[in-house]
Each structure stands twice: as C-alpha cells, then as structure tokens.
Amino acid sequence: MILAAGLGSRLRPLTSHLPKPLVPIMNRPLLWYLIRHIKAAGIREIALNLHYHGEHIRTWLGDGGHLGVDVTYSEEAELLGSAGAVRRIRDFFGNDPALIIHGDVLFDVDLAAVIQYHLSRAAEATLVLHPAYQRYNYGTILVNARGDIARFVNQPDPWVAGPLIETVFTGMQIIAPEVINAIPEGCVASLTTDVYSNLLTHSSRLYGYLMHGYWSDIGTPRRYWETNMDAVSRRLRLVGDGPQGGLTHRIPSGGRGPAAAAVYPPVAFHAHIDVPDRTSIGPEVIIAAGCELAEDVRIVQSVLWPRVRLGRGVTIERSVVMNDVSIPDGAHLVGKVVSAGEIIDL
C-alpha cells in the first residue's frame, strides 16, 4: 500500500494543485519510482488511499496496467491517518504481511531484502530505519545491531540491550496481519503514534531494518529541490533510471549543445527542448517538456516544470520554477520557488 492521501501542506506551493506523490522527480512523478521499487520486489497488487487531489492520481495511474501492476483505490472522505487507512482495506491484504510505504519518500533500499528480513524473524512489524537523525528534525529511534528497537521516539523498551544506534523512521514498513486486525475498525489513528509504541513489550516482535543507502523525505520545497539535485547528479541511483520513451535526455560528460550555447553536465531535459545561442545550462539542471528558453539564459542547479518560459537574459540559480510560469526578460532568481501565484524562498 502507498499512503497517498496527505494534504502536502509543508510542501506547498508545489502541492497547491498536485498531491505529493505526483510531484516530478527527474521529469517523472514520484509515484512512478515508488511503483517501480515495489514491482522490483515482486509485488504486482498495490493499493493507494486517496483524499487530497486524488482525481489526479486516478487520471495518471488508472488501473496501473501501463506500469505492469494492478491498482486498488481507497477513497477517504475524511483523512483516517496511516493506521486507519490500512485498517479500512484490511481485506485487500488477505493473510499476507502488508508492505506500507509513505507516498512522499524516495530511496534505494532493496524492498525484497526487507521482506525477507521480516519473514525470517516472524515479525509483527518491521520498520525500515536510516541513520539520518542529524539531517532531519524527527524523533529518533534507538536500535541495536540485531534490529531490536530499544526506543521508539519517546517510548522506551527496557528489555533491549545495546550498544544502540540512533536512527529515524523512513516511512517504509511491513505489518503482520494480526497487527492490522488489532486496529479498531473505523478509527482515525497513526501507525507510529498509536500502533508501534504499543508493540514495545517484552513479548512483541517489533524490529528495525537498518538501511545505509539513499533516503529522502520529500516533505518541504527545500528537500524536494535537494532530492532532484541528488537524482540528476547520480548521488541517487533511481530505479528505471535512464532515457525511456523519449521523456528524458541526458547530455553526457563533456557534451555540448548548439554552437555558442554551453551545457555543463549533469543535466536532464526533454529531448525536444531547444537550446538557443548564448545560453548556459548546468550543472545540475532538470528541464521538463514544453519549456521555452530565450537567448542569453543561464540556469544552474534548478528544476523547471512543464511549459516554463524564460525571457531573454534570465538567470535561474538553485530554484524551482513550476509549470506554466513565464519569467520576464532580465529577471535574476536565486534560491526561489516560483509558482503562477507567488515567489517564496527555497
């Protein structure tokens, strides 16, 4: 199950007209990568809960057939929280453990390995953890080398011995059927605050799978920008990375655009983007389909959504320009998020 119903409040204005799972990473919706990860683990049946702009997800994803998966939707008239959302579709999971992933994260963990870890321990719940506690302002989770959780945020487990590692929860988890059954029907509740803290008992089997690869919580515009920069620079190796269907075009290291235009890798842009004379693109630039660039434009470490129009002499640095925005001649934007209605600091 992909949790896709959230309001995306912290990510606005990027989510003013989009649900979080559809914000573009390297010119593809974040949801595309999540589904590819799940499919790579051998899972073909996926459920999504919908609430905020859920119709956009339905329109883009449909029944999932074009991505090789079978999709079930759970419409929530009112947000139920992660635990309530899982309990609402209890029958979808049958007697199998449920893999639950938040719809606003990107990662390179091997989900098949996480599933095997969970099954080998006959766990009630397995949480994927990351030692990124200094980067995120989250409550920390203490875990030992065996995966025993000694403290879940503020709830301690006195039976677990150290030494202990400080981690944060990544939003990826596997839950046994009996844990889902214990969630009250019709409840509005959270897995983290209302379910997992209650599993910290001597007889419970709550484990942490410690990952060491890439993980990003795309919860703010700044984290969104950083994740795109990680992706285009290959600090994050995306599932299904590379040109597919003519959507994304990369100019290799040392490549050049048209005469008198300079392209400094790494960059990624739609194959049909025209690069005018005296234009400088890169490094770390992502340009979506339908964008139009005038002469003397300079773009560095930035993301342009579809159909952005840049006037003559425009400079864009460390910024995100959302779809259908026109930037007038001579404008200089540094560290901004630009939507049709406002400009905010990144």
Side-chain angles (χ1 to χ4, degrees):
M1 181 179 189
I2 298 172
L3 298 174
L7 302 178
S9 302
R10 294 184 302 137
L11 198 51
R12 293 181 182 175
L14 302 180
T15 51
S16 293
H17 304 287
L18 278 179
K20 287 188 294 184
L22 291 188
V23 295
I25 303 293
M26 286 286 289
N27 292 335
R28 290 190 185 275
L30 170 59
L31 184 56
W32 187 87
Y33 299 103
L34 296 179
I35 291 175
R36 297 275 296 199
H37 269 291
I38 293 169
K39 186 179 174 182
I43 299 171
R44 296 292 187 272
E45 296 180 37
I46 301 174
L48 291 90
N49 65 328
L50 303 180
H51 177 73
Y52 178 72
H53 287 310
E55 70 279 4
H56 293 311
I57 293 178
R58 278 187 178 273
T59 298
W60 178 80
L61 183 55
D63 64 4
H66 66 289
L67 294 182
V69 294
D70 183 12
V71 173
T72 296
Y73 295 106
S74 174
E75 296 275 359
E76 297 181 10
E78 301 292 336
L79 287 173
L80 299 176
S82 54
V86 170
R87 185 64 177 87
R88 186 172 190 263
I89 60 166
R90 169 66 188 89
D91 292 344
F92 171 81
F93 302 110
N95 295 320
D96 297 320
L99 171 65
I100 313 295
I101 299 178
H102 291 196
D104 58 358
V105 297
L106 199 56
F107 51 87
D108 61 8
V109 69
D110 182 352
L111 291 177
V114 179
I115 293 170
Q116 183 56 42
Y117 179 95
H118 175 87
L119 295 175
S120 68
R121 285 160 175 75
E124 291 178 287
T126 298
L127 314 183
V128 179
L129 307 177
H130 195 287
Y133 55 92
Q134 293 177 328
R135 190 174 186 181
Y136 295 92
N137 186 27
Y138 298 159
T140 56
I141 299 171
L142 297 182
V143 61
N144 64 19
R146 294 196 320 140
D148 302 314
I149 293 178
R151 189 185 74 197
F152 188 84
V153 189
N154 296 321
Q155 181 74 24
D157 186 344
W159 295 278
V160 175
L164 302 175
I165 305 165
E166 285 190 309
T167 69
V168 293
F169 176 45
T170 64
M172 294 175 276
Q173 61 237 279
I174 301 176
I175 312 172
E178 59 266 29
V179 175
I180 301 177
N181 292 340
I183 301 171
E185 288 190 60
C187 72
V188 177
S190 165
L191 289 171
T192 52
T193 58
D194 300 311
V195 175
Y196 297 144
S197 58
N198 293 329
L199 294 179
L200 287 177
T201 64
H202 186 58
S203 60
S204 71
R205 302 184 306 281
L206 176 65
Y207 292 99
Y209 180 96
L210 186 61
M211 65 168 291
H212 293 282
Y214 185 93
W215 169 71
S216 176
D217 169 12
I218 308 171
T220 66
R222 178 76 181 190
R223 288 297 306 135
Y224 170 80
W225 172 79
E226 291 174 349
T227 302
N228 269 285
M229 296 302 98
D230 289 341
V232 72
S233 64
R234 302 295 184 98
R235 290 187 289 271
L236 161 63
R237 185 72 180 188
L238 295 168
V239 171
D241 199 7
Q244 299 195 23
L247 176 67
T248 301
H249 173 65
R250 292 177 184 271
I251 294 182
S253 180
R256 301 286 290 184
V263 178
Y264 301 99
V267 300
F269 51 85
H270 194 275
H272 300 297
I273 296 296
D274 181 39
V275 183
D277 290 345
R278 296 183 297 279
T279 294
S280 174
I281 299 176
E284 297 184 343
V285 168
I286 302 168
I287 304 177
C291 291
E292 299 177 9
L293 315 180
E295 293 185 352
D296 297 312
V297 162
R298 178 173 176 266
I299 312 172
V300 179
Q301 289 187 313
S302 295
V303 182
L304 272 58
W305 285 20
R307 301 175 301 278
V308 168
R309 293 171 293 280
L310 302 184
R312 190 183 186 93
V314 167
T315 296
I316 308 288
E317 299 181 41
R318 301 190 306 279
S319 295
V320 178
V321 184
M322 295 174 60
N323 52 288
D324 301 300
V325 169
S326 295
I327 306 296
D329 294 352
H332 190 170
L333 298 172
V334 180
K336 303 296 182 181
V337 176
V338 186
S339 70
E342 62 180 326
I343 300 176
I344 66 170
D345 291 332
L346 187 63

